[in-house]
């Protein structure tokens, strides 16, 4: 499972179809992410971003198509193999969109200790790593609190810390800055920027277009279970027609006759009127 060479594929998906009963969430989906890339998944609600992240995390398996991780098939059968699954889970961390799903321990400290205890780290190392990470994440004051009684943004930061504690080199982040106040958001952006520079692979779903350039080298734009565009953040951000078509920016409003405002897609950036 060695994919630490830059530009070697970490994930490769071909013609993936994923259905929840009658709902097709991914519809013939092909995608590749190479080691060390930072890729932002963009698209309207319900277009399949979280579904893709769950597949990459080995939590959901497609009805059709192929998924590989570092050249090896990523299937339920393969993950039933203890040595493959231990290595995979150690290397790949997923931050869920909904932090409630991620938090199940009695205290924040226990939440962060859970993974290291499973891996039988020495107690001293666990305590030291947790205390360092609590500081970095600005959540030291929450250490003895019950995770399920925290605010939405606090939960998000604890959930992220519980992913980072094992220092995964591949991070899957489902809307990591949603529900965070501006200071916490910029803290997460700083972390994302330093991960980018440290050669980690980051794949994140986001609706935040303002910070794309800092946090992603490439964007994959989804529409109804397919990728409709891929490119550098600036190229995607300048494609206003695309962003309006897939409902990532608000349709432009302007007056057609006195008093009447009408929403409609607008292919050109205005200079004001
Ligand atoms: N557990 C589920 N059961 C049935 N349908 C589901 C389930 N989870 C997601 N879906 C459907 O699958 C499609 C893709 O959902 P997904 O959660 O992947 O979208 P998303 O791009 O992450 O959206 P959002 O921006 O709202 O988080 C949607 O049509 C959604 O309604
Ligand atoms: Mg989602």
């Amino acid at each position: 499972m060695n994919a630490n060479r830059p530009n070697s594929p970490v994930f490769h998906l071909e013609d993936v179809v994923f259905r929840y009963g009658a709902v097709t969430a991914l519809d013939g989906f092909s995608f590749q992410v190479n080691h060390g890339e930072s890729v932002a998944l963009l698209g309207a609600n319900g277009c399949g971003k979280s579904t893709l992240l769950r597949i990459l995390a080995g939590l959901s398996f497609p009805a059709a198509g192929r998924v590989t991780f570092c050249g090896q098939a990523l299937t339920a059968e393969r993950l039933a193999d203890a040595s493959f699954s231990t290595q995979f889970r150690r290397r790949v961390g997923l931050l869920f969109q909904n932090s409630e799903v991620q938090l199940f321990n009695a205290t924040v400290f226990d939440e962060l200790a859970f993974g290291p205890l499973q891996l039988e780290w020495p107690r001293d190392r666990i305590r030291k790593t947790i205390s360092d990470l609590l500081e970095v994440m600005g959540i030291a004051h929450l250490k003895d609190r019950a995770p399920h009684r925290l605010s939405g943004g606090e939960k998000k930061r604890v959930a992220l810390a519980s992913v980072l504690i094992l220092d995964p080199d591949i991070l899957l982040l489902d809307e990591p800055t949603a529900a965070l106040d501006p200071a916490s958001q910029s803290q997460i952006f700083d972390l994302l920027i330093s991960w980018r520079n440290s050669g980690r692979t980051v794949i994140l779903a986001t609706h935040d277009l303002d910070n794309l350039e800092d946090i992603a080298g490439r964007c994959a734009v989804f529409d109804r279970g397919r990728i409709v565009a891929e490119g550098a953040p600036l190229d995607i951000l300048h494609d206003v027609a695309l962003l309006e078509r897939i409902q990532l920016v608000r349709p432009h409003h302007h007056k057609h006759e006195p008093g009447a405002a009408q929403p409609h897609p607008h292919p050109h950036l205005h200079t004001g009127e």
Side-chain angles (χ1 to χ4, degrees), residues 25-26 29 31 39-44 46-53 205 219-229 242 246-248:
L26 296 177
F29 191 93
F31 183 58
V39 182
L41 313 176
L42 308 178
C47 69
K49 304 178 296 294
S50 296
T51 302
L52 173 66
L53 289 172
C219 302
V221 183
F222 288 47
D223 188 26
R224 284 164 290 176
R226 287 171 177 266
I227 291 187
V228 290
L242 168 76
I246 60 162
Q247 300 176 358
L248 274 194

PDB file of all heavy atoms in Angstrom, residues 25-26 29 31 39-44 46-53 205 219-229 242 246-248:
ATOM      1  N   ALA A  25     -27.320   8.301  -6.457  1.00  0.00           N
ATOM      2  CA  ALA A  25     -26.507   9.405  -5.929  1.00  0.00           C
ATOM      3  C   ALA A  25     -25.263   9.647  -6.775  1.00  0.00           C
ATOM      4  O   ALA A  25     -24.824  10.793  -6.928  1.00  0.00           O
ATOM      5  CB  ALA A  25     -26.121   9.118  -4.477  1.00  0.00           C
ATOM      6  N   LEU A  26     -24.656   8.593  -7.288  1.00  0.00           N
ATOM      7  CA  LEU A  26     -23.530   8.734  -8.212  1.00  0.00           C
ATOM      8  C   LEU A  26     -23.873   7.927  -9.452  1.00  0.00           C
ATOM      9  O   LEU A  26     -24.270   6.763  -9.360  1.00  0.00           O
ATOM     10  CB  LEU A  26     -22.219   8.229  -7.591  1.00  0.00           C
ATOM     11  CG  LEU A  26     -21.716   8.999  -6.363  1.00  0.00           C
ATOM     12  CD1 LEU A  26     -20.449   8.359  -5.801  1.00  0.00           C
ATOM     13  CD2 LEU A  26     -21.466  10.473  -6.674  1.00  0.00           C
ATOM     14  N   PHE A  29     -19.614   7.543 -12.410  1.00  0.00           N
ATOM     15  CA  PHE A  29     -18.726   8.564 -11.868  1.00  0.00           C
ATOM     16  C   PHE A  29     -17.272   8.106 -11.994  1.00  0.00           C
ATOM     17  O   PHE A  29     -16.902   7.055 -11.496  1.00  0.00           O
ATOM     18  CB  PHE A  29     -19.105   8.742 -10.392  1.00  0.00           C
ATOM     19  CG  PHE A  29     -18.493   9.917  -9.728  1.00  0.00           C
ATOM     20  CD1 PHE A  29     -19.156  11.121  -9.675  1.00  0.00           C
ATOM     21  CD2 PHE A  29     -17.236   9.810  -9.157  1.00  0.00           C
ATOM     22  CE1 PHE A  29     -18.596  12.214  -9.050  1.00  0.00           C
ATOM     23  CE2 PHE A  29     -16.662  10.891  -8.527  1.00  0.00           C
ATOM     24  CZ  PHE A  29     -17.345  12.098  -8.475  1.00  0.00           C
ATOM     25  N   PHE A  31     -13.112   9.375 -11.519  1.00  0.00           N
ATOM     26  CA  PHE A  31     -12.423  10.410 -10.741  1.00  0.00           C
ATOM     27  C   PHE A  31     -11.088   9.858 -10.275  1.00  0.00           C
ATOM     28  O   PHE A  31     -10.986   8.671  -9.982  1.00  0.00           O
ATOM     29  CB  PHE A  31     -13.325  10.707  -9.531  1.00  0.00           C
ATOM     30  CG  PHE A  31     -12.873  11.795  -8.606  1.00  0.00           C
ATOM     31  CD1 PHE A  31     -12.655  13.080  -9.055  1.00  0.00           C
ATOM     32  CD2 PHE A  31     -12.715  11.528  -7.246  1.00  0.00           C
ATOM     33  CE1 PHE A  31     -12.272  14.093  -8.187  1.00  0.00           C
ATOM     34  CE2 PHE A  31     -12.344  12.534  -6.362  1.00  0.00           C
ATOM     35  CZ  PHE A  31     -12.123  13.810  -6.843  1.00  0.00           C
ATOM     36  N   VAL A  39      -8.019  18.538  -3.245  1.00  0.00           N
ATOM     37  CA  VAL A  39      -9.121  18.622  -4.202  1.00  0.00           C
ATOM     38  C   VAL A  39     -10.394  19.052  -3.487  1.00  0.00           C
ATOM     39  O   VAL A  39     -10.764  18.468  -2.461  1.00  0.00           O
ATOM     40  CB  VAL A  39      -9.364  17.258  -4.895  1.00  0.00           C
ATOM     41  CG1 VAL A  39     -10.472  17.364  -5.927  1.00  0.00           C
ATOM     42  CG2 VAL A  39      -8.080  16.751  -5.546  1.00  0.00           C
ATOM     43  N   ALA A  40     -11.044  20.081  -4.014  1.00  0.00           N
ATOM     44  CA  ALA A  40     -12.323  20.524  -3.449  1.00  0.00           C
ATOM     45  C   ALA A  40     -13.464  19.948  -4.278  1.00  0.00           C
ATOM     46  O   ALA A  40     -13.430  20.005  -5.512  1.00  0.00           O
ATOM     47  CB  ALA A  40     -12.401  22.049  -3.456  1.00  0.00           C
ATOM     48  N   LEU A  41     -14.456  19.380  -3.601  1.00  0.00           N
ATOM     49  CA  LEU A  41     -15.658  18.872  -4.263  1.00  0.00           C
ATOM     50  C   LEU A  41     -16.731  19.942  -4.128  1.00  0.00           C
ATOM     51  O   LEU A  41     -17.090  20.316  -3.008  1.00  0.00           O
ATOM     52  CB  LEU A  41     -16.125  17.573  -3.610  1.00  0.00           C
ATOM     53  CG  LEU A  41     -15.052  16.503  -3.343  1.00  0.00           C
ATOM     54  CD1 LEU A  41     -15.664  15.312  -2.603  1.00  0.00           C
ATOM     55  CD2 LEU A  41     -14.410  16.050  -4.648  1.00  0.00           C
ATOM     56  N   LEU A  42     -17.201  20.427  -5.256  1.00  0.00           N
ATOM     57  CA  LEU A  42     -18.200  21.497  -5.240  1.00  0.00           C
ATOM     58  C   LEU A  42     -19.488  21.014  -5.872  1.00  0.00           C
ATOM     59  O   LEU A  42     -19.460  20.199  -6.796  1.00  0.00           O
ATOM     60  CB  LEU A  42     -17.695  22.704  -6.055  1.00  0.00           C
ATOM     61  CG  LEU A  42     -16.323  23.269  -5.731  1.00  0.00           C
ATOM     62  CD1 LEU A  42     -15.998  24.421  -6.688  1.00  0.00           C
ATOM     63  CD2 LEU A  42     -16.272  23.758  -4.288  1.00  0.00           C
ATOM     64  N   GLY A  43     -20.599  21.569  -5.402  1.00  0.00           N
ATOM     65  CA  GLY A  43     -21.872  21.222  -6.027  1.00  0.00           C
ATOM     66  C   GLY A  43     -23.025  21.484  -5.083  1.00  0.00           C
ATOM     67  O   GLY A  43     -22.840  21.556  -3.863  1.00  0.00           O
ATOM     68  N   ALA A  44     -24.199  21.594  -5.659  1.00  0.00           N
ATOM     69  CA  ALA A  44     -25.393  21.931  -4.879  1.00  0.00           C
ATOM     70  C   ALA A  44     -25.742  20.809  -3.904  1.00  0.00           C
ATOM     71  O   ALA A  44     -25.228  19.702  -4.011  1.00  0.00           O
ATOM     72  CB  ALA A  44     -26.562  22.170  -5.838  1.00  0.00           C
ATOM     73  N   GLY A  46     -27.218  17.710  -2.321  1.00  0.00           N
ATOM     74  CA  GLY A  46     -27.763  16.468  -2.889  1.00  0.00           C
ATOM     75  C   GLY A  46     -27.083  15.989  -4.155  1.00  0.00           C
ATOM     76  O   GLY A  46     -27.553  15.037  -4.791  1.00  0.00           O
ATOM     77  N   CYS A  47     -25.957  16.602  -4.545  1.00  0.00           N
ATOM     78  CA  CYS A  47     -25.333  16.206  -5.816  1.00  0.00           C
ATOM     79  C   CYS A  47     -24.398  15.008  -5.663  1.00  0.00           C
ATOM     80  O   CYS A  47     -23.890  14.495  -6.655  1.00  0.00           O
ATOM     81  CB  CYS A  47     -24.604  17.387  -6.448  1.00  0.00           C
ATOM     82  SG  CYS A  47     -23.155  17.866  -5.499  1.00  0.00           S
ATOM     83  N   GLY A  48     -24.121  14.572  -4.437  1.00  0.00           N
ATOM     84  CA  GLY A  48     -23.353  13.333  -4.271  1.00  0.00           C
ATOM     85  C   GLY A  48     -21.994  13.467  -3.593  1.00  0.00           C
ATOM     86  O   GLY A  48     -21.241  12.492  -3.508  1.00  0.00           O
ATOM     87  N   LYS A  49     -21.666  14.640  -3.041  1.00  0.00           N
ATOM     88  CA  LYS A  49     -20.339  14.855  -2.440  1.00  0.00           C
ATOM     89  C   LYS A  49     -20.101  13.936  -1.233  1.00  0.00           C
ATOM     90  O   LYS A  49     -19.059  13.279  -1.143  1.00  0.00           O
ATOM     91  CB  LYS A  49     -20.182  16.324  -2.000  1.00  0.00           C
ATOM     92  CG  LYS A  49     -20.420  17.328  -3.114  1.00  0.00           C
ATOM     93  CD  LYS A  49     -20.289  18.759  -2.619  1.00  0.00           C
ATOM     94  CE  LYS A  49     -21.316  19.178  -1.575  1.00  0.00           C
ATOM     95  NZ  LYS A  49     -22.714  19.229  -2.082  1.00  0.00           N
ATOM     96  N   SER A  50     -21.063  13.919  -0.314  1.00  0.00           N
ATOM     97  CA  SER A  50     -20.882  13.095   0.889  1.00  0.00           C
ATOM     98  C   SER A  50     -20.852  11.615   0.524  1.00  0.00           C
ATOM     99  O   SER A  50     -20.097  10.841   1.123  1.00  0.00           O
ATOM    100  CB  SER A  50     -22.016  13.347   1.890  1.00  0.00           C
ATOM    101  OG  SER A  50     -21.974  14.676   2.335  1.00  0.00           O
ATOM    102  N   THR A  51     -21.657  11.241  -0.450  1.00  0.00           N
ATOM    103  CA  THR A  51     -21.673   9.844  -0.889  1.00  0.00           C
ATOM    104  C   THR A  51     -20.286   9.450  -1.408  1.00  0.00           C
ATOM    105  O   THR A  51     -19.759   8.389  -1.055  1.00  0.00           O
ATOM    106  CB  THR A  51     -22.733   9.648  -1.995  1.00  0.00           C
ATOM    107  OG1 THR A  51     -24.000  10.057  -1.465  1.00  0.00           O
ATOM    108  CG2 THR A  51     -22.807   8.212  -2.456  1.00  0.00           C
ATOM    109  N   LEU A  52     -19.689  10.316  -2.204  1.00  0.00           N
ATOM    110  CA  LEU A  52     -18.349  10.027  -2.718  1.00  0.00           C
ATOM    111  C   LEU A  52     -17.358   9.885  -1.557  1.00  0.00           C
ATOM    112  O   LEU A  52     -16.558   8.944  -1.517  1.00  0.00           O
ATOM    113  CB  LEU A  52     -17.876  11.140  -3.664  1.00  0.00           C
ATOM    114  CG  LEU A  52     -16.413  10.992  -4.094  1.00  0.00           C
ATOM    115  CD1 LEU A  52     -16.215   9.760  -4.952  1.00  0.00           C
ATOM    116  CD2 LEU A  52     -15.919  12.230  -4.829  1.00  0.00           C
ATOM    117  N   LEU A  53     -17.415  10.793  -0.587  1.00  0.00           N
ATOM    118  CA  LEU A  53     -16.465  10.737   0.529  1.00  0.00           C
ATOM    119  C   LEU A  53     -16.627   9.441   1.328  1.00  0.00           C
ATOM    120  O   LEU A  53     -15.643   8.848   1.771  1.00  0.00           O
ATOM    121  CB  LEU A  53     -16.623  11.969   1.428  1.00  0.00           C
ATOM    122  CG  LEU A  53     -16.119  13.274   0.797  1.00  0.00           C
ATOM    123  CD1 LEU A  53     -16.475  14.474   1.656  1.00  0.00           C
ATOM    124  CD2 LEU A  53     -14.600  13.235   0.582  1.00  0.00           C
ATOM    125  N   ALA A 205     -15.297  18.423   0.740  1.00  0.00           N
ATOM    126  CA  ALA A 205     -16.529  18.971   0.188  1.00  0.00           C
ATOM    127  C   ALA A 205     -16.734  20.324   0.840  1.00  0.00           C
ATOM    128  O   ALA A 205     -16.564  20.468   2.057  1.00  0.00           O
ATOM    129  CB  ALA A 205     -17.703  18.053   0.516  1.00  0.00           C
ATOM    130  N   CYS A 219     -10.442  21.677  -8.364  1.00  0.00           N
ATOM    131  CA  CYS A 219     -11.850  21.540  -7.971  1.00  0.00           C
ATOM    132  C   CYS A 219     -12.502  20.512  -8.881  1.00  0.00           C
ATOM    133  O   CYS A 219     -12.212  20.460 -10.080  1.00  0.00           O
ATOM    134  CB  CYS A 219     -12.616  22.841  -8.167  1.00  0.00           C
ATOM    135  SG  CYS A 219     -11.944  24.222  -7.283  1.00  0.00           S
ATOM    136  N   ALA A 220     -13.396  19.723  -8.292  1.00  0.00           N
ATOM    137  CA  ALA A 220     -14.250  18.843  -9.095  1.00  0.00           C
ATOM    138  C   ALA A 220     -15.676  19.314  -8.856  1.00  0.00           C
ATOM    139  O   ALA A 220     -16.125  19.386  -7.708  1.00  0.00           O
ATOM    140  CB  ALA A 220     -14.084  17.392  -8.660  1.00  0.00           C
ATOM    141  N   VAL A 221     -16.347  19.687  -9.936  1.00  0.00           N
ATOM    142  CA  VAL A 221     -17.691  20.250  -9.810  1.00  0.00           C
ATOM    143  C   VAL A 221     -18.713  19.167 -10.155  1.00  0.00           C
ATOM    144  O   VAL A 221     -18.659  18.571 -11.222  1.00  0.00           O
ATOM    145  CB  VAL A 221     -17.860  21.451 -10.769  1.00  0.00           C
ATOM    146  CG1 VAL A 221     -19.228  22.081 -10.586  1.00  0.00           C
ATOM    147  CG2 VAL A 221     -16.759  22.474 -10.536  1.00  0.00           C
ATOM    148  N   PHE A 222     -19.617  18.937  -9.201  1.00  0.00           N
ATOM    149  CA  PHE A 222     -20.628  17.885  -9.348  1.00  0.00           C
ATOM    150  C   PHE A 222     -21.960  18.489  -9.804  1.00  0.00           C
ATOM    151  O   PHE A 222     -22.317  19.595  -9.396  1.00  0.00           O
ATOM    152  CB  PHE A 222     -20.964  17.256  -7.996  1.00  0.00           C
ATOM    153  CG  PHE A 222     -19.932  16.378  -7.391  1.00  0.00           C
ATOM    154  CD1 PHE A 222     -18.616  16.759  -7.320  1.00  0.00           C
ATOM    155  CD2 PHE A 222     -20.305  15.162  -6.845  1.00  0.00           C
ATOM    156  CE1 PHE A 222     -17.679  15.936  -6.719  1.00  0.00           C
ATOM    157  CE2 PHE A 222     -19.388  14.340  -6.242  1.00  0.00           C
ATOM    158  CZ  PHE A 222     -18.073  14.724  -6.181  1.00  0.00           C
ATOM    159  N   ASP A 223     -22.681  17.701 -10.549  1.00  0.00           N
ATOM    160  CA  ASP A 223     -24.085  18.015 -10.787  1.00  0.00           C
ATOM    161  C   ASP A 223     -24.842  16.693 -10.898  1.00  0.00           C
ATOM    162  O   ASP A 223     -24.523  15.867 -11.755  1.00  0.00           O
ATOM    163  CB  ASP A 223     -24.248  18.838 -12.073  1.00  0.00           C
ATOM    164  CG  ASP A 223     -25.673  19.352 -12.246  1.00  0.00           C
ATOM    165  OD1 ASP A 223     -26.368  19.525 -11.228  1.00  0.00           O
ATOM    166  OD2 ASP A 223     -26.078  19.561 -13.404  1.00  0.00           O
ATOM    167  N   ARG A 224     -25.770  16.486 -10.014  1.00  0.00           N
ATOM    168  CA  ARG A 224     -26.600  15.293  -9.995  1.00  0.00           C
ATOM    169  C   ARG A 224     -25.817  13.996 -10.220  1.00  0.00           C
ATOM    170  O   ARG A 224     -26.089  13.229 -11.137  1.00  0.00           O
ATOM    171  CB  ARG A 224     -27.726  15.418 -11.020  1.00  0.00           C
ATOM    172  CG  ARG A 224     -28.826  16.363 -10.531  1.00  0.00           C
ATOM    173  CD  ARG A 224     -29.728  16.804 -11.627  1.00  0.00           C
ATOM    174  NE  ARG A 224     -29.043  17.707 -12.524  1.00  0.00           N
ATOM    175  CZ  ARG A 224     -29.560  18.212 -13.630  1.00  0.00           C
ATOM    176  NH1 ARG A 224     -30.773  17.872 -13.985  1.00  0.00           N
ATOM    177  NH2 ARG A 224     -28.868  19.039 -14.380  1.00  0.00           N
ATOM    178  N   GLY A 225     -24.811  13.787  -9.363  1.00  0.00           N
ATOM    179  CA  GLY A 225     -24.117  12.506  -9.371  1.00  0.00           C
ATOM    180  C   GLY A 225     -23.070  12.323 -10.435  1.00  0.00           C
ATOM    181  O   GLY A 225     -22.581  11.210 -10.645  1.00  0.00           O
ATOM    182  N   ARG A 226     -22.721  13.406 -11.132  1.00  0.00           N
ATOM    183  CA  ARG A 226     -21.650  13.321 -12.128  1.00  0.00           C
ATOM    184  C   ARG A 226     -20.718  14.502 -11.968  1.00  0.00           C
ATOM    185  O   ARG A 226     -21.117  15.544 -11.467  1.00  0.00           O
ATOM    186  CB  ARG A 226     -22.226  13.390 -13.546  1.00  0.00           C
ATOM    187  CG  ARG A 226     -22.940  12.145 -13.982  1.00  0.00           C
ATOM    188  CD  ARG A 226     -23.664  12.421 -15.299  1.00  0.00           C
ATOM    189  NE  ARG A 226     -24.307  11.202 -15.768  1.00  0.00           N
ATOM    190  CZ  ARG A 226     -23.744  10.359 -16.633  1.00  0.00           C
ATOM    191  NH1 ARG A 226     -22.556  10.625 -17.138  1.00  0.00           N
ATOM    192  NH2 ARG A 226     -24.377   9.267 -16.997  1.00  0.00           N
ATOM    193  N   ILE A 227     -19.484  14.352 -12.486  1.00  0.00           N
ATOM    194  CA  ILE A 227     -18.584  15.499 -12.515  1.00  0.00           C
ATOM    195  C   ILE A 227     -18.824  16.241 -13.821  1.00  0.00           C
ATOM    196  O   ILE A 227     -18.763  15.644 -14.901  1.00  0.00           O
ATOM    197  CB  ILE A 227     -17.116  15.049 -12.409  1.00  0.00           C
ATOM    198  CG1 ILE A 227     -16.858  14.501 -11.004  1.00  0.00           C
ATOM    199  CG2 ILE A 227     -16.179  16.219 -12.697  1.00  0.00           C
ATOM    200  CD1 ILE A 227     -15.419  14.176 -10.702  1.00  0.00           C
ATOM    201  N   VAL A 228     -19.150  17.533 -13.715  1.00  0.00           N
ATOM    202  CA  VAL A 228     -19.422  18.305 -14.930  1.00  0.00           C
ATOM    203  C   VAL A 228     -18.267  19.243 -15.278  1.00  0.00           C
ATOM    204  O   VAL A 228     -18.223  19.780 -16.377  1.00  0.00           O
ATOM    205  CB  VAL A 228     -20.747  19.102 -14.833  1.00  0.00           C
ATOM    206  CG1 VAL A 228     -21.930  18.150 -14.854  1.00  0.00           C
ATOM    207  CG2 VAL A 228     -20.781  19.982 -13.577  1.00  0.00           C
ATOM    208  N   ALA A 229     -17.335  19.449 -14.356  1.00  0.00           N
ATOM    209  CA  ALA A 229     -16.170  20.281 -14.671  1.00  0.00           C
ATOM    210  C   ALA A 229     -15.076  19.984 -13.662  1.00  0.00           C
ATOM    211  O   ALA A 229     -15.348  19.641 -12.507  1.00  0.00           O
ATOM    212  CB  ALA A 229     -16.534  21.767 -14.610  1.00  0.00           C
ATOM    213  N   LEU A 242     -21.351  28.348 -15.470  1.00  0.00           N
ATOM    214  CA  LEU A 242     -21.353  27.007 -14.857  1.00  0.00           C
ATOM    215  C   LEU A 242     -21.865  27.082 -13.420  1.00  0.00           C
ATOM    216  O   LEU A 242     -22.741  26.312 -13.015  1.00  0.00           O
ATOM    217  CB  LEU A 242     -19.927  26.440 -14.876  1.00  0.00           C
ATOM    218  CG  LEU A 242     -19.697  25.187 -14.024  1.00  0.00           C
ATOM    219  CD1 LEU A 242     -20.295  23.967 -14.720  1.00  0.00           C
ATOM    220  CD2 LEU A 242     -18.215  24.959 -13.747  1.00  0.00           C
ATOM    221  N   ILE A 246     -25.330  25.201 -11.990  1.00  0.00           N
ATOM    222  CA  ILE A 246     -25.403  24.149 -10.963  1.00  0.00           C
ATOM    223  C   ILE A 246     -25.760  24.726  -9.588  1.00  0.00           C
ATOM    224  O   ILE A 246     -25.619  24.068  -8.567  1.00  0.00           O
ATOM    225  CB  ILE A 246     -24.079  23.365 -10.876  1.00  0.00           C
ATOM    226  CG1 ILE A 246     -22.932  24.304 -10.508  1.00  0.00           C
ATOM    227  CG2 ILE A 246     -23.780  22.631 -12.170  1.00  0.00           C
ATOM    228  CD1 ILE A 246     -21.727  23.581 -10.003  1.00  0.00           C
ATOM    229  N   GLN A 247     -26.190  25.986  -9.577  1.00  0.00           N
ATOM    230  CA  GLN A 247     -26.738  26.619  -8.368  1.00  0.00           C
ATOM    231  C   GLN A 247     -25.720  26.814  -7.261  1.00  0.00           C
ATOM    232  O   GLN A 247     -26.049  26.707  -6.083  1.00  0.00           O
ATOM    233  CB  GLN A 247     -27.933  25.829  -7.849  1.00  0.00           C
ATOM    234  CG  GLN A 247     -29.027  25.763  -8.873  1.00  0.00           C
ATOM    235  CD  GLN A 247     -30.192  24.907  -8.448  1.00  0.00           C
ATOM    236  OE1 GLN A 247     -30.206  24.312  -7.381  1.00  0.00           O
ATOM    237  NE2 GLN A 247     -31.179  24.849  -9.302  1.00  0.00           N
ATOM    238  N   LEU A 248     -24.474  27.130  -7.657  1.00  0.00           N
ATOM    239  CA  LEU A 248     -23.467  27.431  -6.641  1.00  0.00           C
ATOM    240  C   LEU A 248     -23.380  28.912  -6.358  1.00  0.00           C
ATOM    241  O   LEU A 248     -22.807  29.328  -5.361  1.00  0.00           O
ATOM    242  CB  LEU A 248     -22.095  26.912  -7.069  1.00  0.00           C
ATOM    243  CG  LEU A 248     -21.820  25.465  -6.730  1.00  0.00           C
ATOM    244  CD1 LEU A 248     -20.351  25.152  -6.875  1.00  0.00           C
ATOM    245  CD2 LEU A 248     -22.267  25.122  -5.316  1.00  0.00           C
TER     246      LEU A 248
END
